Amino acid sequence: MAMTARIDVTGQDLLASLRQFLRAILELQDIRAILVPRHLPMNNAVMPALVTDPDCLEGVDPLAPAFPMNAAKIVSRLTGKPMGAQVAAILRPCEIRAFIELVKLKQGRTEEVVLIGIDCLGAYQNKDYLRFAGEDGAHATVRFYQSVLTGRGTRIDGVDLAPACRACEYPVASNADITIGLFGIEFDDHLIVQSQSVRGEAVLKQLNLEQTVEPTARRETIAALVAQRTAQRDEMLAQTRAGTENLAKMTTYFARCVNCYNCRVACPVCYCKECVFVTDVFNHDPYQYLRWATRKGVIKMPTDTLFYHMTRLAHMSTACVGCGQCSNACPNDIPVMEVFRSVAQATQKAFDYEAGRHIDEDPPLAVFREDEFAEVVGMSLQTGRQA
Amino acid sequence: MEDFEPTLIAFVCNWCTYTAADLAGTSRLTYPQNVRLIRVMCTGMVDPQYVIKAFLEGVDGVLVSGCHPGDCHYINGNFKARRRIKLLKEILPRFGFQEERLRLTWIGASDGIQFAETIRAMVAQIKTLGPSQARLKMVI
Ligand code: SF4
Ligand code: SF4
Ligand code: FES
């Protein structure tokens, strides 16, 4: 059922071709706006932008290795309540997976959005991107995609992808309405677009693009990339586990944390409207701090740092998509994502769940079965697993 | 380690295990005094954060105990609690808290004897594990 069509590329200018494709979508009767990363006129910033005027597509750049935020949060904002119009959203695969989690949590709806997943070339950390983009962000993007797509790699000018992207095993979207394919394609001649849903197919049909078949090289290229990423991921997770396996090590790991909660603000799947850590629940009486200090002789202030991180792990790790925005947001360069992914892998596996995999799978902590997990009840000395 | 007396926190459901604890008391059953009871209206209201907080403040073990399956006064709070314990048993051992430090049991209102036995067993098990790492270390 999937329809595959081509978008012509001339002069290796992928951005021009993508803009043309987006313009055609925007000119469709039923699509009123496109959400897509765009260079702002100011300061080389690349931010999600909601474009309604085709002439404002100039500056749109879904290939820039910039990832200032997980735009699932924006799509959630645009779709949480009815808008009365259809929007197309150009997203990275981890943004789509996060959005799917938000839809399950009733913080977004799919009815009025066409999800367009673009093959993800990866992104640099915020600080690295600014340095890399220099004075000419558009030119920097060209250097980036040419390097990646010709196999010269993601490392340019001594900068490499964010750790989350280096360990990302989902570079291609699987829950989109339409995907834009870059990997394994003669990209100086054409790109491909494919429908993954009925809605996506309806949109593509209206565009009257020339149909084509997916080149066999594409599957192989993607498989090789996923294998390499998975190996990196496993190495990263093993290292992280060893580096955080007890409280002493966790204390070292998060020693520079100032409880600013930026990582939670940046997290696309931290779904609470009001996080318990900004309420008074754990806002202790002044005298309590003195009691704690007296008991141990010294306590680090602010307190409750590991408590915050471990609580967040309990609350959202089953929905973690590994996008790395937590690390990106940390003012003290703490590798937050690594710890969260390492725990997320275990908690998601425990419930046979994978964040963002399928819109019909219930979030593990929202449901239960009557006959399950008997092994966690009772006093028996089970457990081959030692701490 | 001979004179190590562990501290336990037990989150007990008002309708069953709390009543069982009460019964144990009025029946003059003895059980170790290491446990501090926190009465909750249902095990389904024990957010993982309270268990984590207890461990990071240095308790040596946490018991969550509620009504038997089918008996929960809020229909399915205990089933939700079981998923949260499952979740915590993935997270806490990962950071060095042995799995036996966290227990979930179903103890009905008339099971005073079982309550006393459970506390005895848990205290004994935790004595062999020794004090929690959170007691020993500077925790941030
Ligand atoms: S915890 Fe970090 S890696 Fe996980 S979803 Fe949130 S921002 Fe992404
Ligand atoms: S962003 Fe960094 S410093 Fe702020 S709470 Fe998260 S880990 Fe701590
Ligand atoms: S009322 Fe006792 S566990 Fe729910």
Side-chain angles (χ1 to χ4, degrees):
Chain A
M1 85 152 202
M3 167 175 165
T4 303
R6 51 179 279 149
I7 315 176
D8 293 323
V9 173
T10 46
Q12 293 211 340
D13 192 347
L14 302 193
L15 285 179
S17 307
L18 286 172
R19 276 187 216 118
Q20 230 168 30
F21 173 66
L22 297 185
R23 174 177 281 269
I25 290 184
L26 202 46
E27 280 166 354
L28 292 177
Q29 263 304 317
D30 42 354
I31 305 244
R32 288 278 297 284
I34 294 187
L35 179 74
V36 57
R38 186 184 189 282
H39 291 275
L40 301 189
M42 313 65 108
N43 200 16
N44 256 320
V46 177
M47 291 298 266
L50 189 64
V51 186
T52 55
D53 179 351
D55 290 339
C56 294
L57 286 169
E58 206 52 44
V60 153
D61 186 355
L63 299 179
F67 191 21
M69 68 180 300
N70 188 311
K73 290 165 78 110
I74 304 289
V75 185
S76 154
R77 184 174 296 223
L78 292 173
T79 64
K81 292 183 204 139
M83 177 189 261
Q86 291 262 348
V87 181
I90 318 298
L91 299 169
R92 297 180 187 273
C94 64
E95 296 178 304
I96 294 182
R97 289 188 297 122
F99 179 63
I100 287 187
E101 290 303 301
L102 290 173
V103 171
K104 295 180 194 179
L105 294 159
K106 311 274 184 276
Q107 295 193 3
R109 293 156 52 256
T110 55
E111 285 82 352
E112 292 180 309
V113 62
V114 178
L115 299 172
I116 304 183
I118 185 158
D119 279 7
C120 188
L121 306 182
Y124 297 144
Q125 300 255 61
N126 284 345
K127 288 174 204 153
D128 290 336
Y129 176 71
L130 274 184
R131 202 149 49 88
F132 170 71
E135 294 302 308
D136 189 346
H139 176 66
T141 298
V142 176
R143 285 180 67 206
F144 176 70
Y145 71 66
Q146 288 198 332
S147 178
V148 179
L149 291 174
T150 56
R152 276 177 288 131
T154 49
R155 189 183 186 85
I156 306 175
D157 301 346
V159 182
D160 207 343
L161 297 186
C165 300
R166 273 182 267 152
C168 172
E169 68 280 57
Y170 300 101
V172 174
S174 57
N175 275 303
D177 294 301
I178 295 171
T179 54
I180 300 177
L182 309 169
F183 293 124
I185 290 177
E186 303 284 330
F187 74 96
D188 36 14
D189 180 61
H190 68 280
L191 305 178
I192 63 168
V193 288
Q194 291 179 299
S195 64
Q196 286 190 345
S197 73
V198 177
R199 184 181 312 168
E201 185 167 343
V203 171
L204 286 190
K205 274 194 179 133
Q206 292 180 70
L207 297 177
N208 296 319
L209 300 167
E210 186 188 328
Q211 296 214 23
T212 181
V213 287
E214 183 182 280
T216 46
R218 176 164 166 76
R219 288 283 147 101
E220 290 155 23
T221 308
I222 294 170
L225 180 62
V226 170
Q228 175 217 327
R229 294 278 183 78
T230 308
Q232 292 226 23
R233 177 201 67 187
D234 292 343
E235 194 187 317
M236 172 189 94
L237 295 183
Q239 252 179 37
T240 306
R241 283 196 190 99
T244 52
E245 68 198 349
N246 55 40
L247 278 193
K249 289 185 178 179
M250 277 290 274
T251 298
T252 307
Y253 199 91
F254 284 103
R256 292 194 309 269
C257 177
V258 292
N259 293 33
C260 69
Y261 308 144
N262 282 3
C263 44
R264 185 254 302 157
V265 174
C267 178
V269 297
C270 255
Y271 50 86
C272 300
K273 295 287 181 194
E274 188 180 40
C275 174
V276 64
F277 289 99
V278 301
T279 68
D280 281 340
V281 174
F282 301 110
N283 187 11
H284 305 288
D285 286 339
Y287 191 71
Q288 179 67 50
Y289 296 102
L290 191 59
R291 282 177 53 196
W292 279 323
T294 309
R295 195 165 77 204
K296 297 213 170 181
V298 54
I299 51 170
K300 172 254 181 192
M301 301 293 289
T303 57
D304 289 332
T305 299
L306 293 187
F307 175 43
Y308 157 69
H309 288 291
M310 287 173 67
T311 295
R312 206 162 78 82
L313 283 166
H315 285 171
M316 53 54 71
S317 68
T318 53
C320 175
V321 297
C323 67
Q325 286 299 341
C326 44
S327 294
N328 213 12
C330 180
N332 296 315
D333 295 327
I334 297 169
V336 186
M337 172 278 297
E338 282 83 337
V339 173
F340 276 67
R341 275 211 74 180
S342 73
V343 172
Q345 191 183 50
T347 56
Q348 294 182 20
K349 184 160 167 270
F351 296 102
D352 190 17
Y353 185 81
E354 219 177 86
R357 176 171 60 192
H358 203 290
I359 203 150
D360 292 332
E361 286 174 344
D362 290 315
L365 293 165
V367 290
F368 60 86
R369 284 209 330 263
E370 295 192 1
D371 58 334
E372 61 177 7
F373 305 129
E375 76 279 6
V376 306
V377 184
M379 294 298 299
S380 67
L381 280 170
Q382 359 109 316
T383 116
R385 181 172 45 192
Q386 261 316 320
Chain B
M1 215 55 73
E2 276 295 292
D3 50 359
F4 163 58
E5 284 298 334
T7 303
L8 267 54
I9 295 278
F11 294 95
V12 290
C13 163
N14 176 62
W15 303 105
C16 48
T17 308
Y18 180 77
T19 311
D22 213 24
L23 182 64
T26 49
S27 322
R28 299 189 179 273
L29 294 172
T30 54
Y31 61 87
Q33 295 177 6
N34 308 59
V35 63
R36 314 280 184 276
L37 299 185
I38 297 181
R39 181 166 60 117
V40 294
M41 289 310 284
C42 173
T43 54
M45 67 177 284
V46 182
D47 188 290
Q49 72 204 12
Y50 299 114
V51 176
I52 293 168
K53 178 80 170 162
F55 274 118
L56 290 175
E57 300 231 341
V59 300
D60 302 294
V62 172
L63 171 71
V64 177
S65 185
C67 311
H68 284 275
D71 289 351
C72 174
H73 287 53
Y74 307 94
I75 299 169
N76 52 33
N78 48 3
F79 292 130
K80 291 173 184 158
R82 189 171 55 191
R83 281 217 163 194
R84 293 184 194 132
I85 298 295
K86 172 74 183 167
L87 176 82
L88 283 166
K89 281 183 181 270
E90 292 298 327
I91 296 176
L92 290 166
R94 159 76 177 75
F95 296 119
F97 294 96
Q98 295 91 336
E99 202 182 328
E100 298 89 329
R101 292 185 188 275
L102 174 63
R103 293 295 190 182
L104 172 68
T105 56
W106 314 135
I107 300 178
S110 56
D111 287 339
I113 296 175
Q114 198 198 335
F115 177 79
E117 272 170 7
T118 301
I119 299 298
R120 266 199 294 276
M122 197 161 167
V123 169
Q125 286 174 9
I126 288 177
K127 275 192 178 174
T128 65
L129 289 176
S132 156
Q133 54 173 343
R135 281 213 195 187
L136 304 173
K137 303 266 156 48
M138 179 172 179
V139 177
I140 60 169

